Amino acid sequence: AISIATDEDSGFSFNRSFAAPEQYDVHGKQGFWTDVYGLSATIYTLLTGSVIQDAPSRLESDHLKKNYKTVTRISRKLRNSIFNGLILDTSKRTQTMEDFRADLYHLPRPIVTRKQRIRMIVKILAAALGIELAIAGLLEAISEKTLSQVIDAAQCYIANDTECAFYLAENYRTGKSGDAGYKWNISKSLYWYQWAADHGNIEAMFEYALILQEGKLTERNIPLAISYYEKAAGPDAPMAWNNLGVIYMEGKGVPKDLDKAFSCFREAEKYGVTLALSNLGYFYEQGETVGEDMSKAVEYYQKSADNGDAYGMYRLALCYGEGKGIEQSNLQCLRYLYEAAEKECPEAMCEIGHLYETGDFGFTDYDMAMMWYEKAIDLGFGGGCYMEALMYRDGVGVEADEIIASDLMQWAADWEFE
């Protein structure tokens, strides 16, 4: 890092907003933390489109600190990492690029730094619990991975560190493929998701609600999922609004409430949630709550498709295929079906398979139909099972087999395909 305190006569132009406070002081101690400040300021500007105050101005009146919670264009986790790199006090700022990278991508700290952190926390724990340092020294003899987990857990409890708790939850869920290489442990993962959620972590609230809604890692509990979604819903977790809307629209686990579902989707729309656009389009198409309006439905589907949402592409394809709310076009129908299928939309895959099966492409190809149904099945979509079951039941393209058809129908039912 280079001091810029006497830049006036240097002929070198620079943006003062990217310079750390120690660079304005000829006696300022510079180091890796100085580069962290500059990079943090750069990333902040690129993501928000706003240039931060220069350091001397921040020392007088730090508007950046005051406006921390209002910066909603970037996720809270990323915001924390960037703001930790912009701390004016060099001793409290993120110290190295390795540490900064670990914060940005939620990776383990570099090994030397982590060992130093472990020793420091062991000493703090020893003092707090009245343990002799000799005994505390035994803790340092434990394998680093085991001790890291113990220390991380202690940090959660002692410092009320919900970010660390969320980190533990994620790593216990992913096991050895995760950042820290923890052993796979779903019960511990669920414990830390709930702990972090109950202590105010927005990301944990959303993730735990999603787990409860899906019922894959634990027993499904829709009322509890709703309670966590409602706490999380807002600028830091706008998808919570969309997921609430889906719950009330489907009416699984709670009474169906289309008015409430529509309201939730509208809230999600305010934050630019793409999935909410396709869901709103479906409301206008079906005439639920708001009255049928196909032009409005197509408008929402188009916005959703333009933002890369596969389901929006699929619904738009059907509108083109049937000429509903828009001029009929087989070419556009196929275009959006294949684009949706490329994005792994199982509904689009089944529709393509059906076109091959019925000959709507101008010719029939049962092998291709079966291939597309299998692709949908591989994604866990019951509709693929249902379409294959009909082929086996009716002997279309394959030898009729009631047993296979019955098994496929059962699988479709197990996947809750209606």
Side-chain angles (χ1 to χ4, degrees):
I2 303 172
S3 174
I4 60 169
T6 56
D7 66 286
E8 302 297 334
D9 301 318
S10 66
F12 178 72
S13 62
F14 62 92
N15 191 314
R16 295 165 60 89
S17 297
F18 301 108
E22 60 269 23
Q23 289 180 281
Y24 287 88
D25 185 352
V26 291
H27 302 296
K29 185 179 180 182
Q30 299 182 42
F32 298 120
W33 49 88
T34 308
D35 297 326
V36 168
Y37 186 99
L39 181 58
S40 299
T42 302
I43 294 175
Y44 176 91
T45 300
L46 289 172
L47 291 178
T48 66
S50 302
V51 178
I52 67 171
Q53 290 174 280
D54 59 69
S57 298
R58 290 186 63 205
L59 288 169
E60 293 180 8
S61 179
D62 192 358
H63 295 159
L64 187 68
K65 185 176 181 180
K66 294 176 183 177
N67 296 334
Y68 169 78
K69 292 185 178 180
T70 66
V71 180
T72 57
R73 297 184 208 175
I74 55 179
S75 70
R76 190 167 57 89
K77 184 190 297 184
L78 181 57
R79 190 166 74 230
N80 287 343
S81 301
I82 294 171
F83 275 72
N84 286 339
L86 291 172
I87 295 175
L88 295 169
D89 186 338
T90 57
S91 65
K92 296 179 180 178
R93 190 187 310 156
T94 302
Q95 293 294 290
T96 67
M97 284 296 186
E98 289 80 6
D99 286 343
F100 185 58
R101 177 177 176 273
D103 283 344
L104 279 178
Y105 297 104
H106 218 60
L107 300 173
R109 292 282 182 176
I111 201 74
V112 174
T113 303
R114 195 165 182 81
K115 282 183 178 179
Q116 292 173 342
R117 173 173 166 265
I118 288 170
R119 290 194 184 98
M120 177 187 73
I121 297 179
V122 165
K123 290 179 180 179
I124 293 173
L125 285 173
L129 300 175
I131 302 174
E132 293 292 333
L133 281 179
I135 298 176
L138 295 175
L139 293 175
E140 294 191 59
I142 301 173
S143 72
E144 186 176 335
K145 280 188 178 179
T146 301
L147 187 55
S148 293
Q149 296 175 42
V150 173
I151 295 301
D152 283 336
Q155 182 172 334
C156 296
Y157 290 123
I158 294 172
N160 196 36
D161 191 337
T162 63
E163 290 286 341
C164 186
F166 183 72
Y167 172 77
L168 283 170
E170 296 276 274
N171 277 284
Y172 280 123
R173 181 177 179 176
T174 52
K176 292 190 179 297
S177 63
D179 295 339
Y182 291 178
K183 288 184 179 180
W184 182 75
N185 191 317
I186 291 301
S187 62
K188 286 185 178 180
S189 175
L190 292 173
Y191 172 83
W192 286 114
Y193 274 130
Q194 185 173 12
W195 190 93
D198 290 343
H199 286 75
N201 187 289
I202 303 295
E203 290 168 297
M205 290 176 193
F206 176 82
E207 198 62 38
Y208 189 52
L210 185 60
I211 290 170
L212 292 169
Q213 180 187 3
E214 293 179 338
K216 292 180 180 178
L217 300 179
T218 188
E219 185 176 351
R220 179 175 291 167
N221 189 328
I222 298 299
L224 189 57
I226 289 174
S227 70
Y228 281 107
Y229 276 140
E230 288 177 340
K231 293 175 185 175
D236 287 326
M239 270 295 294
W241 283 118
N242 181 77
N243 291 8
L244 280 169
V246 171
I247 289 174
Y248 287 118
M249 182 172 68
E250 293 179 343
K252 294 179 179 178
V254 292
K256 193 171 185 176
D257 190 330
L258 296 180
D259 288 330
K260 190 173 286 186
F262 185 77
S263 176
C264 288
F265 291 140
R266 289 299 299 270
E267 286 296 325
E269 180 188 12
K270 294 176 183 177
Y271 295 104
V273 176
T274 302
L275 277 174
L277 299 177
S278 55
N279 287 324
L280 286 168
Y282 188 74
F283 262 76
Y284 282 106
E285 180 180 356
Q286 299 299 313
E288 304 282 12
T289 300
V290 292
E292 184 178 338
D293 187 338
M294 280 308 303
S295 62
K296 195 76 172 176
V298 169
E299 180 184 336
Y300 271 112
Y301 290 149
Q302 188 68 65
K303 287 180 182 178
S304 177
D306 291 345
N307 280 282
D309 176 47
Y311 188 72
M313 293 173 184
Y314 164 68
R315 297 305 308 183
L316 185 60
L318 296 185
C319 291
Y320 272 113
E322 299 172 19
K324 293 173 62 177
I326 199 167
E327 185 178 352
Q328 197 275 341
S329 171
N330 288 335
L331 184 62
Q332 288 290 73
C333 173
L334 291 175
R335 170 200 165 188
Y336 282 110
L337 279 179
Y338 274 101
E339 286 186 11
E342 286 178 4
K343 289 180 173 289
E344 299 192 333
C345 174
E347 293 91 346
M349 293 174 180
C350 284
E351 187 66 25
I352 294 172
H354 184 65
L355 291 173
Y356 276 113
E357 182 185 346
T358 58
D360 287 349
F361 276 128
F363 61 92
T364 56
D365 190 327
Y366 297 124
D367 289 337
M368 286 295 290
M370 191 71 77
M371 183 197 77
W372 281 104
Y373 295 151
E374 289 288 344
K375 283 178 177 286
I377 292 172
D378 289 342
L379 293 175
F381 183 61
C385 289
Y386 176 75
M387 298 302 289
E388 272 197 15
L390 295 181
M391 291 181 72
Y392 278 105
R393 185 196 68 183
D394 301 331
V396 176
V398 292
E399 186 177 347
D401 192 318
E402 286 292 336
I403 294 177
I404 294 178
S406 178
D407 287 343
L408 286 167
M409 284 290 190
Q410 185 59 55
W411 291 342
D414 291 342
W415 278 333
E416 299 184 353
F417 176 73
E418 298 178 354

